[in-house]
Amino acid sequence: MVTPLLVDRSLPLVDGRIVVAVLADGEFTVKRFRRTGSGVVLESEHPDYPPIVIRDAESRVWGVVRTVIHHV
C-alpha cells in the first residue's frame, strides 16, 4: 500500500525530523534524519532495517515530511 505524504522542500534539516531522501541509485526513501560527528545518517523506524550513512554527493535529502495523508 502506498501512503501519500506532504513534503516541504523549504524547511530546514533539523536532527530528528522525518525526511524523503534520494539515494545514489535513484531510489527514494523515507527515514529519520540524524546528524552525527561523522556526517548524516538516515534511520529507519523499523528495527529490521539498518541505518543508511550518507557518504556520497549522489545521495541527498529531498525534503521534510509535514503530513501523512490518510484516506477514509
Side-chain angles (χ1 to χ4, degrees):
M1 182 170 111
V2 175
T3 302
L5 302 173
L6 177 65
V7 179
D8 190 336
R9 296 185 72 190
S10 68
L11 291 176
L13 293 174
V14 176
D15 190 65
R17 284 197 168 166
I18 303 295
V19 299
V20 174
V22 183
L23 304 179
D25 61 3
E27 179 181 346
F28 283 81
T29 188
V30 178
K31 303 283 185 200
R32 187 168 301 277
F33 178 83
R34 295 286 184 202
R35 286 192 199 274
T36 67
S38 59
V40 171
V41 176
L42 302 175
E43 296 179 342
S44 176
E45 295 296 312
H46 196 288
D48 288 349
Y49 295 95
I52 299 170
V53 179
I54 302 297
R55 290 195 175 109
D56 54 41
E58 298 280 323
S59 300
R60 64 191 178 285
V61 175
W62 192 77
V64 176
V65 174
R66 295 286 300 195
T67 303
V68 177
I69 301 169
H70 294 280
H71 295 281
V72 292

